[in-house]
């Protein structure tokens, strides 16, 4: 708990945007950057972006941290200060991420979350769907029940599985772009199964 707590506190200090309650940073696995970010973006711009999959992981991590704090139980005379911290503060961070995801990334007209917010001074939503991020938002509970149902029903899926992101970038080489990654499809299948969408699982 103490190790996770210190990592979480460092992230709160270094990469959380207090205005949106989202965490800055690039995609959780799509690190071939020209395949998922505009070519004009420099590393600092990518750091400043707010990615769906990355924020879903942060959401899940803060929920786990809250559960760990609850599992430690009430404070005793021999408890350290870190063991006495209330779970409510970690739940509050997770709640903020959830609010930020809905306010900044949710696209009700499409029925899925945006891949990321990007730009330089004024961030805008990329309309693309990110397969892993959509799945993790559902599995970890960052998506509301209504959002979860929409995500599972409407996120683009192609003949052989869930694309890393959709639509793909025309003229760009294949890797994350225009490809199916088995582990992304596995998470998508998990999310669909938990959401009761048997057609999506098939």
């Amino acid at each position: 708990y103490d190790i996770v707590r210190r990592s979480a506190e460092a992230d709160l200090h270094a990469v959380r945007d207090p205005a949106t309650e989202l965490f800055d940073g690039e995609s959780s696995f799509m690190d071939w950057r020209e395949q998922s970010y505009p070519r004009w973006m420099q590393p600092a711009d990518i750091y400043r972006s707010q990615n769906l999959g990355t924020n879903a992981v942060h959401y899940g991590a803060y929920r786990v941290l809250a559960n760990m704090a609850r599992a430690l139980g009430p404070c005793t005379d021999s408890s350290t200060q870190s063991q006495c911290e209330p779970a409510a503060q970690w739940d509050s961070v997770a709640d903020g991420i959830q609010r930020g995801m809905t306010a900044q990334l949710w696209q009700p007209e499409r029925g899925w979350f945006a891949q990321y917010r990007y730009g330089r001074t004024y961030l805008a939503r990329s309309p693309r769907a990110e397969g892993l991020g959509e799945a993790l938002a559902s599995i970890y509970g960052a998506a509301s029940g209504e959002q979860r149902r929409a995500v599972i029903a409407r996120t683009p899926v192609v003949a052989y599985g869930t694309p890393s992101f959709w639509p793909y970038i025309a003229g760009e080489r294949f890797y994350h772009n225009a490809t199916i990654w088995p582990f992304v499809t596995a998470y998508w299948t998990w999310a669909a199964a938990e959401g009761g969408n048997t057609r999506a699982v098939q």
Side-chain angles (χ1 to χ4, degrees):
Y1 173 80
D2 194 51
I3 292 169
V4 177
R5 175 189 66 83
R6 283 181 284 163
S7 295
E9 287 176 344
D11 285 344
L12 283 170
H13 174 73
V15 292
R16 189 186 194 206
D17 176 2
T20 64
E21 301 186 270
L22 295 175
F23 286 74
D24 294 340
E26 70 176 315
S27 169
S28 60
F29 85 99
M30 288 183 282
D31 54 355
W32 193 342
R33 293 169 170 177
E34 61 266 33
Q35 291 213 337
S36 51
Y37 291 96
R39 289 186 179 274
W40 61 262
M41 290 180 72
Q42 300 297 311
D45 300 314
I46 294 171
Y47 158 79
R48 182 66 183 90
S49 67
Q50 296 171 340
N51 182 272
L52 170 63
T54 300
N55 274 279
V57 170
H58 278 289
Y59 173 88
Y62 283 95
R63 287 293 187 221
V64 167
L65 190 58
N67 290 336
M68 292 171 75
R70 275 188 283 273
L72 288 170
C75 295
T76 66
D77 290 340
S78 62
S79 298
T80 65
Q81 181 180 355
S82 64
Q83 290 172 322
C84 294
E85 290 168 343
Q89 75 181 76
W90 306 122
D91 276 328
S92 177
V93 175
D95 290 343
I97 298 169
Q98 189 173 43
R99 284 192 298 269
M101 288 173 64
T102 294
Q104 304 298 330
L105 297 173
W106 179 243
Q107 303 178 103
E109 71 283 3
R110 290 185 168 88
W112 64 73
F113 291 96
Q115 182 181 9
Y116 50 68
R117 295 179 75 232
Y118 73 110
R120 186 159 287 172
T121 305
Y122 302 102
L123 301 188
R125 275 196 298 232
S126 165
R128 286 187 169 91
E130 181 206 339
L132 180 61
E134 309 294 347
L136 292 177
S138 178
I139 292 166
Y140 291 153
S144 69
E146 182 180 344
Q147 289 169 337
R148 185 181 191 184
R149 286 187 292 275
V151 162
I152 297 302
R154 297 178 63 186
T155 297
V157 177
V158 297
Y160 295 100
T162 309
S164 298
F165 59 84
W166 185 268
Y168 66 88
I169 302 171
E172 180 59 66
R173 288 175 289 177
F174 300 156
Y175 188 65
H176 295 125
N177 183 54
T179 58
I180 308 300
W181 283 53
F183 91 95
V184 174
T185 297
Y187 274 101
W188 177 257
T189 304
W190 178 4
E194 286 197 346
N197 190 328
T198 55
R199 182 180 177 189
V201 172
Q202 294 170 348

